[in-house]
Amino acid sequence: MMKLLRWLLPHPALTLLLTLVWVLLQNSVSSGMVVFGLILGIIIPIATARWWPDRPKTVHLGKLVTYCFLVMWDIIVANVQVAWIVLTKSNAKMRPAWVVIPLELRSPEAITVLAGTITLTPGTVSADLSDGGHYLLVHALDAEDPDAVRDDIKQRYERRLKEIFR
């Protein structure tokens, strides 16, 4: 029974995400669209399962939802901070910096979420990932202390992602 369930749902989180995205892309929510989204959410992961050999074994969905709310809050706060910087600081007083983040994450999905989170947050952008995936290069718009930026990213995001992608 478990083998059949594992074959039918090789990536349950992806199934839920695809179903949700399909429903959100429609102009109205109906039972037919939910069922069709669920069908797509089952077929697509089955068809692509062979390209996911190293997918995360477990993803803690509760912590992922909390992480999403944290990121949304950080995006709002960073928008205000960047607007303040743009309106009040001259270019001469800006302190842009390249920050190298040593990564403890090894899962490609977790590293991708981290890089995306950094890029989504105004004032920072993920620029490069080292060949081995051990370092992430980040550009900060205005960083008084680049080490503090590194430590903040590691504590605020990477630590949580390690708990989510076990």
Side-chain angles (χ1 to χ4, degrees):
M1 182 66 178
M2 285 303 288
K3 214 172 195 185
L4 175 65
L5 187 60
R6 183 79 174 150
W7 179 83
L8 194 59
L9 295 171
H11 201 309
L14 181 60
T15 298
L16 289 174
L17 180 67
L18 288 170
T19 303
L20 180 66
V21 167
W22 177 260
V23 170
L24 290 174
L25 287 173
Q26 305 308 308
N27 287 332
S28 63
V29 177
S30 67
S31 58
M33 284 298 130
V34 172
V35 169
F36 189 69
L38 191 56
I39 291 169
L40 287 175
I42 291 172
I43 290 173
I44 292 171
I46 289 172
T48 61
R50 75 177 102 187
W51 292 290
W52 289 71
D54 297 328
R55 67 182 177 269
K57 301 301 180 238
T58 54
V59 174
H60 194 284
L61 289 178
K63 291 184 180 189
L64 181 61
V65 170
T66 304
Y67 181 81
C68 289
F69 282 113
L70 171 77
V71 171
M72 286 189 281
W73 174 254
D74 286 352
I75 289 170
I76 292 168
V77 169
N79 269 299
V80 172
Q81 290 172 336
V82 168
W84 182 255
I85 289 169
V86 169
L87 293 172
T88 62
K89 273 194 173 181
S90 67
N91 285 345
K93 292 184 181 177
M94 296 272 262
R95 297 165 306 243
W98 290 101
V99 182
V100 176
I101 313 286
L103 297 177
E104 296 172 33
L105 296 171
R106 292 294 169 248
S107 161
E109 294 83 6
I111 293 170
T112 301
V113 171
L114 177 63
T117 299
I118 292 167
T119 300
L120 282 171
T121 308
T124 55
V125 66
S126 300
D128 195 17
L129 180 65
S130 68
D131 287 339
H134 297 287
Y135 298 95
L136 186 64
L137 181 63
V138 174
H139 183 267
L141 176 68
D142 187 39
E144 194 169 310
D145 181 9
D147 291 338
V149 172
R150 180 200 61 222
D151 295 343
D152 189 44
I153 289 171
K154 289 190 71 59
Q155 279 301 315
R156 194 156 181 87
Y157 302 128
E158 186 183 32
R159 179 181 58 82
R160 286 178 170 90
L161 288 171
K162 282 173 38 183
E163 294 172 2
I164 293 168
F165 294 93
R166 295 178 265 166

